[in-house]
């Protein structure tokens, strides 16, 4: 490289670095600082940021709904194919397992070529595989289609947290990440309610037809209204070394300012259309796909305690509080309480949906306020706040998950009223949602912003792998 070219490169890198520290409504420095580039997602207008958030929430919602929508109809599905009920649940467990592999494949492409094309491909696979599931003539064909149905839409599980980090500032991410994780978890909670009514009135195959219709509609929405959010920040603006408090800049230790709060500049139609292009015209030549990005790079994040311990804690709690009831409730309640597909779906879906929604209301807004208060206190002493402060919000979930599981297990074992195990499921899911929201925001946003997609991939892999095993030992003969 010639000296002239080197000088031009340096000028290009410095071109979009902010010349003054921008602050939020509380007077605290924004993290990260937005550049002056119109292509910077941090400069997107709020309406577009929340449109993108809504889209990734719906994609994650559909990903889990695709897997769980058939759960209330396992018994009629098994009857049609002439297989045992336990074998009928394997099409759900294989979809869960395939969902662990999807982000491993999709995330490296998204980190190089952009989020937009990967999201579109993912939801398109979801549409085709749901249609294939509905038209399956044999159980083997259904198993293959269900594997693809778990694999394709799972891209949102790994990319959603990274997209939240792309477009929101740190003080906004707790609420945004909480909404994402709420939709991510509640897709599988609402699915049994929808699936129960569909299976009763139209047959179990229409569970998959409806799923295909929803995926097709979502593809059209994303095609026209989801711009690219991947943006290469100038070197020197953000520290990229992995580790807690890795996202800061020189002004982080400045005390609160009385300056004007930052407002996003208006977006022109030309800028919007530029960010809708495939391939991304803003992609620098240095961003290239390498083989080690598929397994070695993302799973290397597991060497950090602030990734592996939250991932394992999240996987076990979510698996036991959400996935296990989804797999076992329909056969259990059919045997114990003579429930049909609709009542099984309502018992499963309403319990988990109410618990998860209440858990989110008691999680993200509170932890965001905790972090803002901690930052204000720390900056008044000239130092940054510790990321681990957010983990204080996890204790409620750590106690309510086992309490709810014990209530569910004991009340099912002694075959009392169906209301008691439903309350137990709701309590367990309440705690699981708190844990999910806290650990996702802590590891993906507070600690490893620049590697948020890789961290989210590790979380999803742990969750799906643990959930895959539950269908093989959490079975009815051992529970009744």
């Amino acid at each position: 490289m010639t000296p002239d070219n080197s000088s031009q490169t340096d000028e290009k890198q410095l071109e979009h670095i902010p010349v003054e520290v921008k602050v939020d409504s509380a007077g605290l420095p924004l993290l990260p600082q937005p550049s002056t580039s119109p292509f910077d997602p941090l400069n997107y207008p709020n309406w577009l940021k929340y449109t993108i958030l809504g889209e990734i929430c719906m994609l994650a919602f559909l990903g889990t709904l695709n897997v769980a929508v058939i759960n209330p109809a396992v018994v009629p599905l098994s009857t049609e194919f002439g297989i045992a009920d336990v074998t009928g649940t394997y099409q759900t467990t294989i979809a869960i397992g395939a969902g662990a592999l999807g982000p491993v494949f999709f995330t490296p492409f998204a980190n190089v070529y952009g989020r937009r094309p990967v999201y579109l491909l993912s939801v398109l696979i979801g549409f085709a595989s749901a249609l294939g599931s509905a038209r399956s003539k044999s159980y083997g064909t259904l198993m293959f289609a269900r594997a693809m149905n778990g694999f394709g839409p799972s891209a949102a599980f790994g990319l959603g947290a990274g997209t939240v980090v792309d477009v929101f500032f740190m003080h906004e991410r707790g609420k945004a990440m909480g909404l994402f994780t709420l939709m991510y978890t509640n897709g599988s909670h609402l699915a049994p309610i929808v699936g129960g009514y569909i299976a009763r009135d139209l047959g179990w195959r229409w569970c998959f037809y409806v799923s295909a219709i929803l995926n097709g509609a979502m593809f059209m929405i994303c095609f026209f209204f989801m711009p690219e959010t991947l943006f290469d920040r100038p070197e020197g603006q953000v520290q990229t070394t992995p580790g807690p408090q890795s996202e800061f800049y020189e002004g982080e230790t400045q005390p609160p300012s009385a300056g004007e709060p930052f407002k996003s500049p208006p977006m022109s139609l030309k800028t919007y259309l530029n960010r809708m292009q495939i391939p991304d015209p803003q992609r620098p030549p240095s961003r290239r796909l390498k083989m080690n990005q598929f397994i070695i790079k993302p799973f290397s994040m597991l060497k950090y305690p602030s990734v592996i311990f939250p991932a394992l804690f999240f996987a076990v709690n979510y698996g036991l509080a959400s996935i296990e009831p989804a797999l076992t409730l329909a056969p259990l309640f059919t045997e114990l309480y003579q429930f049909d597909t609709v009542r099984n779906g309502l018992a499963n879906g309403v319990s988990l949906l109410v618990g998860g929604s209440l858990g989110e209301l008691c999680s993200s807004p509170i932890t965001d306020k905790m972090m803002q208060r901690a930052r204000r206190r720390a900056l008044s002493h000239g130092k940054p706040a510790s990321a681990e402060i957010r983990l204080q919000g996890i204790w409620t979930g750590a106690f309510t998950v086992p309490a709810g599981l014990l209530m569910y297990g004991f009340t099912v074992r002694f075959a009392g009223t169906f209301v008691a195990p439903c309350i137990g499921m709701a309590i367990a899911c309440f705690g699981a949602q708190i844990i999910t929201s806290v650990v996702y925001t802590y590891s993906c946003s507070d600690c490893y912003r620049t590697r948020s997609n890789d961290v989210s991939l590790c979380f999803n892999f742990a969750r799906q792998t643990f959930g895959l095993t539950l269908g093989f030992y959490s079975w009815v003969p051992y529970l009744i």
Side-chain angles (χ1 to χ4, degrees), residues 448-464:
Y448 304 101
R449 178 198 174 273
T450 57
R451 301 287 299 277
S452 56
N453 279 343
D454 292 334
V455 175
S456 183
L457 183 156
C458 293
F459 273 52
N460 179 71
F461 187 84
R463 184 191 90 144
Q464 300 294 99

Side-chain angles (χ1 to χ4, degrees), residues 1-11:
M1 181 180 289
T2 64
D4 289 341
N5 288 338
S6 176
S7 176
Q8 291 174 3
T9 301
D10 291 341
E11 289 176 3

Side-chain angles (χ1 to χ4, degrees), residues 410-421:
F410 278 117
T411 53
V412 164
R413 176 66 181 84
F414 295 104
T417 173
F418 75 91
V419 175

